[in-house]
Amino acid sequence: MKPSKPVILTGVRANNNIHIGNYFGAILPIINMAKRRSDEYDINLFIPDLHSFTTPIDHSKLYDSVLNNARVYAAAGLSLDNPSIHLYRQSYIPAHSELTWILDCFTGFGRMSIMTQFKDKSRKFLDSKITKGEMSDEQRIWDTIDRSISVGLFNYPVLMAADILLYGATYVPVGDDQTQHLEFTRDIAERMNRKFGDLFIVPKPVIQQHQFFGKDQGLRIKDLVNPAKKMSKSDESGKGVIFLSDDPKSAHKKIMSATTDSIGKVQYDKENQPGISNLLEILTLVRQDAGREVTLEQTVNEYFGMDRYGDFKRIVADEVAGFLENFHNRLAAVDERAIEEKLASSEKDMNVVANETLYRVQKAVGLRK
């Protein structure tokens, strides 16, 4: 079974709570892309549950988090009856794991050790341990090697390559932090093809990915407390993050407590007024989600020069609370049986596609005749 059309593959990590930055910055663009492209492309929208514990998580919540991802996609407008859109869980396709092992054996340790995301995530995790007093600086190297940083985190790009190559995906929307991984995927595919023949379809290079999807995937919501950094699931205080599961009243309070500045005038200036600029972007996004045809420029013009930050924040807070109330209603209305049927149907089809690719690779490396 070969895909009837070229393949676009994408997914959002399943663990932890999804926040509005994930929703507006990743999930909605994915769904809008699927709606626009499904006539010409097969859309592989997978839930990367194996990727979800490359760093420590609460494993008792993972299964429900995975299903919640699927519910969020549906609540955000994903069509569950479109045969060109495939929604599946990574771990339900065993070929992902076996192809990863095979690719591991053709991957150099040095190549993996220079991956920027591995170094950045390792550093953040260790720094958090030191900040909490769980380890001293002297322990840093040994804890890095022995306990703190998993081989899974180190190996993450190889699993990502398997995710892509199993289905012959041509296009994979990637952010700046994933470009190295896509380049590695292309490299390992080309090397395996040179060694064993035409095993894999090689995804398009990064520059063509950006041309296809657009380099700027939309507004990027920042942390409410520290608007110099993006809103992140890893913010343990939660004060600067609005989660989709937040009570509307709680979200309202977070907006009202958002960091602003001493200038005292609403205007869009991301360098000098990042907090106010962030609130203008959030307001635009929740209005768009409510069906209003409004641009950031129109929002900025509407409130330009307003000199009472409290009044402006209350406007934003009211509309964010309204967005969450509306989203919670949509989420509650999701048909659970339709979700389960879509997952089961897609996983059946994707196992066929993935196993055909895996068998071709197994034969090439001598594991099958």
Side-chain angles (χ1 to χ4, degrees):
M1 174 182 175
K2 292 186 177 180
S4 58
K5 295 175 282 191
V7 175
I8 297 172
L9 182 139
T10 188
V12 176
R13 183 166 155 153
N15 65 297
N16 297 329
N17 209 340
I18 297 172
H19 57 69
I20 63 171
N22 303 136
Y23 180 80
F24 289 114
I27 291 172
L28 275 188
I30 285 172
I31 290 170
N32 291 334
M33 177 275 294
K35 290 176 181 176
R36 293 194 315 270
R37 304 283 190 178
S38 61
D39 288 343
E40 302 172 75
Y41 294 86
D42 274 325
I43 312 296
N44 283 19
L45 178 50
F46 80 112
I47 301 174
D49 50 358
L50 293 175
H51 287 295
S52 294
F53 47 97
T54 55
T55 52
I57 64 165
D58 183 346
H59 288 270
S60 68
K61 297 179 180 179
L62 178 58
Y63 187 83
D64 288 339
S65 294
V66 168
L67 291 180
N68 189 58
N69 256 40
R71 296 186 194 103
V72 168
Y73 284 130
L78 181 71
S79 172
L80 297 178
D81 56 8
N82 186 332
S84 294
I85 298 175
H86 312 286
L87 180 66
Y88 58 97
R89 291 162 289 192
Q90 181 187 35
S91 69
Y92 279 64
I93 319 292
H96 286 252
S97 299
E98 183 168 348
L99 182 59
T100 298
W101 174 253
I102 294 173
L103 295 180
D104 274 342
C105 295
F106 294 90
T107 298
F109 178 88
R111 180 66 184 273
M112 288 297 98
S113 64
I114 64 171
M115 288 291 179
T116 301
Q117 194 177 61
F118 168 74
K119 291 190 288 186
D120 288 347
K121 285 191 173 183
S122 300
R123 189 177 299 114
K124 285 180 182 177
F125 181 66
L126 288 169
D127 286 346
S128 71
K129 289 273 190 184
I130 292 171
T131 300
K132 292 178 187 176
E134 295 178 17
M135 61 162 52
S136 68
D137 289 319
E138 291 77 13
Q139 292 174 301
R140 188 183 185 106
I141 294 177
W142 290 111
D143 279 344
T144 300
I145 296 171
D146 293 340
R147 294 192 298 276
S148 298
I149 308 303
S150 72
V151 173
L153 180 61
F154 183 79
N155 194 44
Y156 172 97
V158 186
L159 178 55
M160 180 173 165
D163 299 334
I164 296 167
L165 297 176
L166 280 171
Y167 307 98
T170 305
Y171 290 106
V172 184
V174 290
D176 291 338
D177 60 342
Q178 295 281 349
T179 56
Q180 273 190 319
H181 298 173
L182 183 63
E183 289 165 356
F184 166 74
T185 300
R186 284 175 45 80
D187 178 63
I188 190 68
E190 289 171 346
R191 286 192 289 111
M192 295 288 283
N193 285 351
R194 286 194 298 269
K195 186 174 181 66
F196 296 108
D198 293 331
L199 293 179
F200 300 117
I201 293 173
V202 181
K204 300 291 185 183
V206 171
I207 188 170
Q208 291 185 35
Q209 302 285 348
H210 289 330
Q211 289 169 349
F212 183 79
F213 293 109
K215 178 66 171 69
D216 184 3
Q217 295 295 306
L219 302 177
R220 291 291 182 265
I221 294 178
K222 303 294 186 179
D223 188 274
L224 296 174
V225 175
N226 181 4
K229 68 176 186 178
K230 69 178 183 179
M231 194 172 282
S232 173
K233 296 176 183 178
S234 60
D235 177 3
E236 295 185 0
S237 74
K239 294 178 180 179
V241 182
I242 295 176
F243 295 101
L244 290 183
S245 60
D246 276 350
D247 177 88
K249 290 183 179 179
S250 171
H252 195 283
K253 290 179 180 177
K254 290 181 181 180
I255 294 289
M256 294 304 297
S257 299
T259 299
T260 52
D261 54 69
S262 59
I263 295 175
K265 179 181 179 182
V266 173
Q267 52 193 355
Y268 191 72
D269 183 344
K270 296 186 78 168
E271 182 176 349
N272 297 307
Q273 293 183 265
I276 288 294
S277 298
N278 189 39
L279 293 177
L280 285 164
E281 293 183 354
I282 291 172
L283 181 58
T284 302
L285 289 167
V286 296
R287 286 180 170 181
Q288 290 173 347
D289 190 74
R292 293 177 59 175
E293 294 185 4
V294 59
T295 65
L296 175 61
E297 183 180 7
Q298 289 171 328
T299 303
V300 171
N301 290 337
E302 182 177 351
Y303 296 100
F304 181 79
M306 189 174 184
D307 59 4
R308 295 174 65 91
Y309 283 171
D311 291 344
F312 174 64
K313 288 202 285 188
R314 189 167 290 105
I315 291 167
V316 179
D318 288 344
E319 298 209 25
V320 168
F323 156 75
L324 284 175
E325 184 174 356
N326 178 271
F327 183 80
H328 291 170
N329 290 335
R330 298 199 317 253
L331 194 63
V334 168
D335 186 338
E336 298 286 337
R337 177 168 291 184
I339 290 285
E340 293 171 1
E341 290 176 353
K342 181 66 174 179
L343 287 169
S345 172
S346 294
E347 286 158 4
K348 179 181 178 181
D349 291 343
M350 293 301 98
N351 264 300
V352 173
V353 176
N355 286 339
E356 286 185 357
T357 301
L358 179 61
Y359 182 66
R360 189 165 64 246
V361 176
Q362 289 170 328
K363 286 179 66 177
V365 301
L367 294 172
R368 301 288 186 274
K369 279 208 178 249

